[in-house]
Amino acid sequence: MNGKYIPGRSIAFIVNRPVKREVFAADFRDRVVHHWLINKLNPLFEELFIDDSYACRLGKGTHFGQKRIIQFVQQCSNGYAKNCYILKLDILGFFMHINRSLLLNKLNVFINLKYHDDDKELVLEIAQKIILNSPEKNCIIKGSENDWLGLPPNKSLFHSPQDCGLPIGNLTSQVLANFYLHPLDELLYNRLGFNFYGRYVDDFVVVHDDISQLKSLIKIVNAFLQENLGLKLHPNKIHLQHFSKGVRFLGVIIKPNRTYIAPRTKGNFFDAILKYNVLLKQGPVGNDILTGFLSSMNSYLGILKHTNSYRLRRKMIKQYLDEFWFKFFRLDSSVLKFKRKAQLGIHKIIQDRFFIVL
């Protein structure tokens, strides 16, 4: 309120799942400010955004986006009875190439036009401090600098062009990225009339019955992004094919009348199973490991339940999961959820290999 706030230091680190990515974790104090700002702006953004922008929005998300693409294909193909085609596009190094000055200018115009509360000046001030902050210039590195080896330069703030880049890991980055790309939504949905269009951050899909229009659209979109937002399409992530071939979107492969889990998620589930099997051989299994196992397995099963994956779930658990885990957990008949068995009445039980600490 007194104008003395400045963003603090972030912690920078690398995560490897689901893909290798650089994350900047803001200080708790700053995250409170991020939520304050987004709570002020979100009602206005909701009035602005199209229904088929799915990321970081109440009632939207990945599963909603997947279902919408399925609906688009069904409607465009008249129930899979006629030809239609799917164009899937991605933006090259999206977060790292967001022009902060351009974003701030657009947001200032938007706030001045749409925001009418008494604290408008404070909202403008805080937005400016957050957007123009460069956390990579004053951060704490968690882990080793070698963790960054293999990360493409266009995915790191440390290599972003001058005055560009929003840190992955901040709520403000996610929501303001939606705002930054909203002109693309207006172009495709309102101006060009592509009704079967959906976007999750920088991953977007257009469904149409005329393949020539979709081919022409690639150049139109690329030119629009470069001229208006300083962005460009990823040249290796342009996919255009008949609906019968399917489309990979938001972690699943969508095909007529069925949806499969993408190989990456399947591989991550397998790795999680192996991880907990290895933990069995390393010593006592405490309550923290049991809790972690339950959380991890049910998280993956929760993702898989939205796909046609019964046989996959059953195979993964039956063939690869150590049967020891069933001494503490039971799995429902649909292979959708693990539940913990009732606590045993003793503090420790002795297994053939080691102690289990309850």
Side-chain angles (χ1 to χ4, degrees):
M1 295 299 293
N2 62 20
K4 294 182 179 181
Y5 168 76
I6 58 172
R9 298 181 74 186
S10 295
I11 298 175
F13 57 93
I14 295 292
V15 296
N16 293 294
R17 297 299 176 94
V19 295
K20 191 161 190 169
R21 185 171 287 144
E22 174 187 87
V23 176
F24 281 81
D27 185 77
F28 179 80
R29 171 176 173 270
D30 295 317
R31 279 180 274 156
V32 172
V33 178
H34 295 171
H35 278 268
W36 175 86
L37 179 64
I38 295 305
N39 285 343
K40 296 285 185 178
L41 298 179
N42 250 345
L44 304 179
F45 286 154
E46 283 300 311
E47 295 178 0
L48 176 72
F49 294 160
I50 66 170
D51 288 340
D52 286 289
S53 171
Y54 311 125
C56 294
R57 297 179 64 191
L58 187 64
K60 307 290 184 181
T62 56
H63 299 311
F64 180 84
Q66 293 161 7
K67 291 177 182 178
R68 287 291 288 171
I69 301 304
I70 293 172
Q71 292 174 9
F72 292 163
V73 175
Q74 289 175 336
Q75 293 174 31
C76 188
S77 66
N78 194 22
Y80 310 124
K82 69 174 188 178
N83 288 329
C84 82
Y85 304 87
I86 304 172
L87 174 64
K88 180 173 175 288
L89 301 170
D90 194 295
I91 295 174
L92 182 65
F94 172 54
F95 277 96
M96 305 311 149
H97 288 85
I98 292 175
N99 186 296
R100 294 197 292 260
S101 295
L102 179 58
L103 169 60
L104 182 59
N105 289 338
K106 287 178 175 290
L107 186 61
N108 283 342
V109 171
F110 178 77
I111 292 173
N112 280 312
L113 183 64
K114 298 292 186 179
Y115 194 88
H116 303 298
D117 288 352
D118 294 338
D119 59 353
K120 178 189 288 188
E121 293 304 317
L122 181 59
V123 170
L124 289 167
E125 176 189 337
I126 296 299
Q128 176 175 328
K129 289 181 176 180
I130 291 173
I131 291 173
L132 297 185
N133 180 48
S134 299
E136 74 278 7
K137 295 180 180 179
N138 180 32
C139 66
I140 301 168
I141 301 293
K142 182 179 180 181
S144 166
E145 291 186 3
N146 290 333
D147 295 342
W148 271 256
L149 295 176
L151 183 73
N154 63 21
K155 292 186 178 293
S156 172
L157 273 183
F158 295 107
H159 301 284
S160 292
Q162 183 69 27
D163 197 33
C164 289
L166 295 182
I168 294 176
N170 290 353
L171 173 65
T172 46
S173 297
Q174 301 293 323
V175 177
L176 293 178
N178 264 352
F179 174 76
Y180 193 76
L181 267 189
H182 177 70
L184 176 66
D185 300 339
E186 288 190 318
L187 171 73
L188 291 171
Y189 191 79
N190 295 325
R191 290 166 53 187
L192 298 180
F194 286 94
N195 296 325
F196 300 134
Y197 160 76
R199 177 176 64 83
Y200 190 97
V201 192
D202 65 324
D203 196 3
F204 52 104
V205 171
V206 184
V207 181
H208 202 274
D209 58 6
D210 187 342
I211 192 171
S212 63
Q213 287 199 38
L214 292 179
K215 288 179 179 178
S216 300
L217 186 61
I218 297 171
K219 292 183 178 180
I220 294 173
V221 168
N222 207 25
F224 178 85
L225 289 172
Q226 293 186 52
E227 293 170 7
N228 295 275
L229 299 174
L231 304 170
K232 60 182 178 180
L233 293 177
H234 197 305
N236 300 325
K237 295 185 179 181
I238 298 173
H239 304 282
L240 174 59
Q241 57 192 22
H242 193 269
F243 78 87
S244 61
K245 302 294 184 180
V247 61
R248 183 177 298 187
F249 188 59
L250 302 181
V252 299
I253 299 171
I254 298 169
K255 290 191 172 183
N257 296 312
R258 59 198 188 279
T259 302
Y260 300 124
I261 199 70
R264 187 173 71 192
T265 306
K266 178 181 174 182
N268 290 343
F269 185 28
F270 177 75
D271 290 344
I273 290 174
L274 292 187
K275 168 190 170 182
Y276 281 98
N277 286 346
V278 169
L279 285 175
L280 290 178
K281 302 175 183 179
Q282 294 181 344
V285 178
N287 190 60
D288 56 338
I289 293 178
L290 295 176
T291 300
F293 171 87
L294 185 66
S295 175
S296 179
M297 292 301 106
N298 283 343
S299 176
Y300 280 107
L301 291 176
I303 295 171
L304 288 164
K305 76 178 182 179
H306 296 278
T307 65
N308 302 102
S309 62
Y310 171 77
R311 285 187 293 180
L312 172 64
R313 300 194 305 268
R314 189 172 182 273
K315 176 182 176 181
M316 294 283 283
I317 291 173
K318 184 177 181 181
Q319 290 190 10
Y320 303 116
L321 186 65
D322 194 306
E323 64 181 16
F324 165 82
W325 293 107
F326 290 95
K327 296 180 182 294
F328 291 92
F329 303 98
R330 59 178 178 272
L331 184 62
D332 64 21
S333 59
S334 299
V335 196
L336 287 175
K337 189 174 184 179
F338 279 96
K339 292 185 178 181
R340 201 159 180 170
K341 292 181 178 178
Q343 290 284 4
L344 301 179
I346 54 177
H347 181 62
K348 294 182 179 180
I349 60 173
I350 300 176
Q351 299 295 329
D352 294 337
R353 289 169 289 182
F354 39 73
F355 284 97
I356 310 301
V357 183
L358 296 181

